[in-house]
Amino acid sequence: MSRITTTRLADSRELIYFDDPGTPERSPESLVDHRRLPARGEPGEVRYDALSGDWVAVAAHRQTRTHLPPADQCPICPTTAANPSEIPAPDYDVVVFENRFPSLGPALGDIPPLPAAGQNAHGITGPAFGRCEVVAFTPQHTGSFAGLGETRARTVIEAWAQRTEALSALPGIKQVFPFENRGADIGVTLHHPHGQIYAYPYVTPRAAQLGAVARKYYDDVDAKETLGASLLKAEREDGSRMVLEAEHFSAYVPFAARWPLEIHLVPHRSVPDLAALTGAERDELSHVYLDLLKRLDALYPTPMPYISAWHQAPLDPSLRPAGQLHLQLTSPRRAADKLKYLAGSEAAMGAFINDTTPEAVAERLRNVAVAPATDKTMEGIRA
């Protein structure tokens, strides 16, 4: 198991070290942030879009957030005398901390209720309650998740699971979403390998859409199985879109993939979130997830831009029983030198048009050669 140590930064934000198994005890000095930081501001706001029925976060304070700093000024590298960063320690394995420029939070609570049926919901606003956290995968400034060894990947999974459980218990939280944006083409603002976790005070539009469809199926089959489990079974029986199959997880390109590259990684056991995975399932996940990322990077001469989105069941009791944990790993790259841009049909209408066939993409991903992960890759040893 990872060793977990919690501390507070100079402005009271929570920071948690997740150290690889077998590493030395963390020194007391690594828990002290010596910077002088201004007090945290109040949250932004959420506004209800009466036209679509969606909540929209307004976070104007994020205009001043750090954007692609040089390596010697990276805010999530270990602290040095020349660069007192967000992480006080001179070295670390995996770190999770509250975002200094959050879209949601730091305050917690319930968003405003909607008016009764038949009343106009225009103009409803409230504080942007919630929590936004950064997950630093490694102290190394360059590289990617795919370059981690399995031990370090397992520590990241432990962090995702622990934070999912902790954030789900906070007041007002309705959905917890771990994700990673990778590559300049996706719009990352830090080069250092990292991901994020958003804890929303509402169920997001995409999760609500998927949740409603999943709940209908669940009810139609008298709660005998989830839609996610049914789809996985169908894909494994068909086989043409499968990418890999292991003991606890399988990955496939979905039948109606929206993106040029899209892979769904699904546990064989129906679970709502990462926190519900067993130790054996988490162990295997560290292997198969690295395998998938390496397959993506092996397709073209340069690293693949992607969004790694962990879909976890919302906390809404009407949606959660039908929910199924799964990863949606997508890339807009449709050729070595071409990207798919969301223009008129996709951006305006939400009607996707895919330039590739899922079966052809799955075959390429199955056949691409990848190097196995080792525990030495991108993993330093703390003194």
Side-chain angles (χ1 to χ4, degrees):
M1 289 288 292
S2 303
R3 181 184 296 110
I4 300 175
T5 309
T6 300
T7 188
R8 292 280 173 177
L9 297 175
D11 57 1
S12 80
R13 284 176 293 137
E14 186 177 23
L15 179 144
I16 308 168
Y17 293 102
F18 290 83
D19 293 324
D20 294 339
T23 53
E25 291 282 350
R26 183 155 292 286
S27 69
E29 180 62 20
S30 69
L31 308 181
V32 181
D33 183 6
H34 294 285
R35 298 173 299 169
R36 292 186 177 181
L37 298 178
R40 303 186 71 182
E42 295 299 315
E45 63 178 355
V46 291
R47 297 186 178 189
Y48 185 73
D49 182 358
L51 188 63
S52 67
D54 299 336
W55 287 98
V56 177
V58 179
H61 58 281
R62 283 174 53 80
Q63 288 281 32
T64 60
R65 69 188 185 274
T66 306
H67 182 75
L68 298 179
D72 61 357
Q73 298 174 32
C74 175
I76 54 178
C77 279
T79 280
T80 64
N83 180 34
S85 74
E86 290 280 73
I87 301 170
D91 200 4
Y92 65 86
D93 294 336
V94 175
V95 171
V96 178
F97 61 93
E98 290 185 73
N99 197 323
R100 190 175 177 182
F101 305 97
S103 302
L104 303 167
L108 298 168
D110 294 315
I111 55 176
L114 299 180
Q119 298 183 23
N120 192 334
H122 177 66
I124 296 177
T125 185
F129 294 134
R131 179 74 68 91
C132 293
E133 298 183 339
V134 177
V135 185
F137 301 147
T138 169
Q140 305 299 320
H141 180 70
T142 57
S144 70
F145 197 111
L148 301 178
E150 288 191 16
T151 296
R152 179 60 48 77
R154 179 66 170 80
T155 300
V156 175
I157 291 166
E158 198 67 27
W160 287 336
Q162 193 272 353
R163 296 315 299 152
T164 291
E165 184 174 20
L167 295 172
S168 296
L170 294 179
I173 299 304
K174 301 297 190 296
Q175 180 185 341
V176 178
F177 174 48
F179 65 98
E180 180 194 1
N181 299 323
R182 191 267 188 107
D185 291 324
I186 296 297
V188 297
T189 57
L190 294 175
H191 292 301
H192 193 118
H194 73 288
Q196 300 178 68
I197 305 176
Y198 275 24
Y200 298 94
Y202 49 82
V203 178
T204 61
R206 179 67 171 158
Q209 179 190 28
L210 297 182
V213 174
R215 182 70 211 209
K216 183 180 184 304
Y217 177 86
Y218 190 71
D219 291 340
D220 288 347
V221 298
D222 298 324
K224 293 178 181 177
E225 67 176 353
T226 65
L227 177 59
S230 175
L231 293 175
L232 175 60
K233 179 181 178 181
E235 291 292 355
R236 296 182 75 184
E237 290 175 349
D238 179 279
S240 64
R241 290 173 295 278
M242 295 302 299
V243 177
L244 63 83
E245 295 181 80
E247 181 181 356
H248 301 294
F249 285 87
S250 287
Y252 61 87
V253 178
F255 175 77
R258 298 180 171 205
W259 294 92
L261 289 166
E262 181 173 345
I263 310 167
H264 291 190
L265 176 62
V266 187
H268 296 169
R269 188 170 62 93
S270 291
V271 295
D273 56 26
L274 289 157
L277 294 176
T278 65
E281 288 167 335
R282 297 179 193 187
D283 290 343
E284 184 177 277
L285 179 57
S286 67
H287 174 77
V288 297
Y289 183 45
L290 286 173
D291 183 288
L292 288 179
L293 295 180
K294 289 176 181 293
R295 288 173 190 268
L296 282 184
D297 276 346
L299 289 178
Y300 298 117
T302 55
M304 187 72 69
Y306 64 73
I307 295 175
S308 176
W310 287 99
H311 287 250
Q312 307 194 101
L315 298 170
D316 184 327
S318 69
L319 299 177
R320 192 164 179 83
Q324 167 71 55
L325 168 70
H326 68 285
L327 171 72
Q328 293 192 10
L329 183 61
T330 60
S331 176
R333 200 172 193 177
R334 58 188 178 89
D337 58 348
K338 295 182 177 67
L339 294 176
K340 176 182 180 64
Y341 292 98
L342 299 190
S345 183
E346 290 91 353
M349 289 291 105
F352 277 69
I353 303 168
N354 198 341
D355 302 311
T356 60
T357 66
E359 293 76 17
V361 171
E363 183 176 15
R364 290 183 64 200
L365 289 167
R366 279 196 303 271
N367 295 332
V368 70
V370 298
T374 68
D375 281 342
K376 294 181 180 180
T377 312
M378 276 185 63
E379 292 185 8
I381 301 175
R382 284 198 294 110

